[in-house]
Amino acid sequence: MAKAKKKLVFFCKECGFESPKWLGQCPGCHEWDSFAEAPAAGNVTESIKGRLPGSVHRTPAKLNEVQAGEEERINTGIEELDRVLGGGIVAGSLILVGGDPGIGKSTLLLQMCRLLSGQGHKILYISGEESPKQIKMRAERLGSFSSNLYVLCETDLGVVSETIADTKPGIAIIDSIQTMYSEDAGQAPGSAGQVREATSVFMRLAKSLPVSIFIVGHVTKEGVVAGPKTLEHMVDTVLYFEGDGGASYRFLRGVKNRFGPTDEIGVFEMCADGLKEVLNPSEYMLQGKPENEPGSVVTCSMEGTRPILAEVQALVCQTNFNMPRRATAGTDYNRVNLLMAVIEKRLGVRMGDYDAYINVAGGMRISEPALDLGIVAAILSSYRNQAFDSKTVCFGEVGLTGEIRAVNLAEQRVMEAAKLGFKRCIMPKANSQKLNIKESALNGMQLAGFGSIYELLEVI
């Protein structure tokens, strides 16, 4: 009897929209040429799913009869990682860690394994890219490991899932998801169909055993995890490890977390013996800041629940081209163009005759609107060649009419600036009228509420 032909479907690699036929443009996200072919979900990895725990049929439960309490969390021993995770690892969670090659994803996870295995937790590290000897060589520079850490080098999804089910570790590491392969999927390792099905198997394992599973994902040139966008929807937590490969700093950012706040950030420094935590990012970001130099302004950004002071630098000079050049590093290019248009229209400054280069020092990327006032102040300071007071910090959103609008969590920003010894804080007037901070906590810092960018001209 002839073997039944597997049914194929097409899905969008950007948003996960499925279609029975190939489409040039995705109806869901309107991306062009984003459809990939994959076996239908009903025909893939059935042999694997049948062997997983919890594969039996279950009956629905009444919600008011479900017992729910405080989520049990495991402290990793790395404060910055625990902060981004929302207080630790939740048992039975599936966590995706993405980042550029060589940024330090495996190093961070090995350090976490070292600390957790020392606490008595059973850890299974599964690598599809390295041999046990290579992992051992990399682990030796991080310190000694206990006997609770087990290593498996395998890419077969069936073998990996059976090993996790048999050994029942407390935490499992999959490095990386793009190397996992199932013959049932009928595609090459790393393809969208293979990645999606492997993630589905690990999700089922995490919830049924339960076991906390970290999966490492490579990123594309656009900076997103390679594979279908549904990969990020399936997992509980998505962490991105960012930073310049040539610099020592690294930023761990949470972009999705079902068990804690999103947009939290952890700061690390890459050293010869691994990653070290930076417990005071504001002080670290301001290291080497020039004193009384035009174009240098300190602003405050909120990353999750943490205020971080950062230096915004601007260089404005006469253009030699028919069209002036604009370049940004660490902030949104279009936002800078918008703010320069506001400066030209509202303050009468001829920005169309000048090149402008904007940089957030320290390698951190900030997209928060509260950065607007710092960018405007830095541009005006460089344009006039007059220094902005080095002991003054400013933050606020700038509107198209030049008004300075209120931002959230103003008290935390002010307290962070006072803690680091700043003498003046320029903020939106709407925020300054609602602050409830004792004078003793300000350490002598003066507060100034501005309503529009016109008032900045008196400061610069």
Side-chain angles (χ1 to χ4, degrees):
M1 184 176 178
K3 188 177 179 180
K5 186 178 180 180
K6 291 183 179 180
K7 183 180 178 182
L8 297 176
V9 296
F10 296 85
F11 69 94
C12 176
K13 293 182 288 185
E14 298 296 328
C15 68
F17 182 90
E18 288 195 3
S19 170
K21 61 181 181 178
W22 186 88
L23 299 174
Q25 185 183 35
C26 174
C29 62
H30 304 293
E31 285 288 329
W32 287 94
D33 197 23
S34 62
F35 271 81
E37 184 182 68
N43 294 323
V44 181
T45 62
E46 289 298 329
S47 58
I48 296 176
K49 291 180 180 178
R51 298 194 299 268
L52 295 180
S55 297
V56 297
H57 177 70
R58 296 183 179 182
T59 57
K62 295 180 180 179
L63 182 62
N64 57 4
E65 295 179 358
V66 176
Q67 298 295 324
E70 192 73 21
E71 289 284 355
E72 181 183 353
R73 292 183 181 268
I74 303 170
N75 290 326
T76 64
I78 305 176
E79 291 184 25
E80 294 295 288
L81 178 57
D82 287 339
R83 169 190 285 273
V84 179
L85 290 173
I89 304 171
V90 175
S93 60
L94 185 61
I95 302 164
L96 172 64
V97 182
D100 293 328
I103 203 69
K105 303 183 296 297
S106 300
T107 300
L108 176 65
L109 293 176
L110 264 180
Q111 286 185 228
M112 181 192 72
C113 292
R114 175 177 174 270
L115 295 171
L116 289 173
S117 61
Q119 298 173 14
H121 297 282
K122 188 177 182 180
I123 313 294
L124 177 60
Y125 191 99
I126 301 169
S127 175
E129 302 174 344
E130 297 177 292
S131 66
K133 289 184 179 180
Q134 289 175 316
I135 298 174
K136 177 66 175 179
M137 290 171 58
R138 193 154 46 86
E140 283 181 342
R141 64 185 177 90
L142 302 178
S144 59
F145 283 72
S146 74
S147 58
N148 293 320
L149 177 61
Y150 298 83
V151 177
L152 173 67
C153 296
E154 182 60 65
T155 59
D156 189 295
L157 183 59
V159 175
V160 169
S161 59
E162 285 186 350
T163 303
I164 295 175
D166 292 340
T167 57
K168 293 183 173 60
I171 296 170
I173 313 295
I174 310 297
D175 188 7
S176 65
I177 190 66
Q178 278 84 7
T179 61
M180 295 296 109
Y181 175 73
S182 171
E183 292 183 359
D184 296 328
Q187 292 181 313
S191 61
Q194 290 280 6
V195 170
R196 182 177 60 173
E197 293 306 321
T199 306
S200 176
V201 170
F202 291 131
M203 180 178 64
R204 192 179 180 91
L205 278 169
K207 305 305 178 186
S208 58
L209 284 177
V211 54
S212 300
I213 300 179
F214 286 78
I215 56 178
V216 177
H218 300 307
V219 297
T220 63
K221 62 182 180 180
E222 289 82 15
V224 297
V225 176
K229 195 66 176 177
T230 49
L231 173 61
E232 296 188 17
H233 295 296
M234 294 168 70
V235 301
D236 297 311
T237 304
V238 179
L239 307 180
Y240 275 97
F241 212 31
E242 306 169 350
D244 186 354
S248 61
Y249 42 76
R250 301 289 188 270
F251 303 99
L252 183 66
R253 188 184 302 274
V255 298
K256 174 188 176 181
N257 194 348
R258 288 175 179 160
F259 310 111
T262 57
D263 289 329
E264 285 286 358
I265 189 173
V267 185
F268 298 87
E269 182 178 5
M270 180 64 80
C271 303
D273 55 349
L275 291 161
K276 290 187 177 181
E277 301 176 73
V278 179
L279 300 179
N280 191 343
S282 295
E283 185 176 357
Y284 177 78
M285 295 288 289
L286 296 178
Q287 287 181 357
K289 178 185 177 299
E291 297 291 332
N292 299 318
E293 285 291 333
S296 175
V297 175
V298 177
T299 186
C300 187
S301 170
M302 290 298 300
E303 299 295 336
T305 59
R306 166 187 276 179
I308 296 180
L309 298 185
E311 178 193 3
V312 178
Q313 297 177 335
L315 178 62
V316 178
C317 54
Q318 193 80 30
T319 185
N320 293 319
F321 305 96
N322 294 330
M323 181 178 294
R325 293 192 62 186
R326 305 279 189 263
T328 62
T331 187
D332 184 58
Y333 173 82
N334 293 322
R335 188 69 182 175
V336 170
N337 280 334
L338 182 148
L339 293 174
M340 294 184 70
V342 172
I343 293 173
E344 180 163 357
K345 180 70 174 179
R346 303 302 171 189
L347 300 182
V349 179
R350 294 276 301 179
M351 301 306 301
D353 298 332
Y354 292 85
D355 295 334
Y357 307 90
I358 311 298
N359 175 46
V360 178
M364 186 175 173
R365 180 163 185 83
I366 302 176
S367 57
E368 192 192 15
L371 192 68
D372 290 355
L373 191 59
I375 294 175
V376 171
I379 291 173
L380 291 175
S381 173
S382 179
Y383 174 79
R384 290 192 163 193
N385 201 30
Q386 294 180 358
F388 194 82
D389 183 14
S390 60
K391 288 297 182 180
T392 298
V393 61
C394 63
F395 60 86
E397 180 183 356
V398 176
L400 294 181
T401 62
E403 81 280 11
I404 301 176
R405 307 180 71 88
V407 296
N408 63 340
L409 303 174
E411 290 188 9
Q412 287 88 328
R413 302 175 198 260
V414 171
M415 294 298 296
E416 180 72 9
K419 185 174 69 175
L420 291 180
F422 283 85
K423 300 303 180 183
R424 190 182 188 191
C425 179
I426 299 175
M427 67 179 72
K429 183 178 292 185
N431 284 129
S432 64
Q433 295 171 347
K434 298 179 180 179
L435 283 182
N436 186 19
I437 303 177
K438 295 181 180 179
E439 290 188 10
S440 58
L442 293 176
N443 296 327
M445 185 175 69
Q446 297 179 349
L447 304 180
F450 283 12
S452 70
I453 59 174
Y454 297 102
E455 299 175 64
L456 273 179
L457 297 177
E458 302 175 4
V459 179
I460 304 174

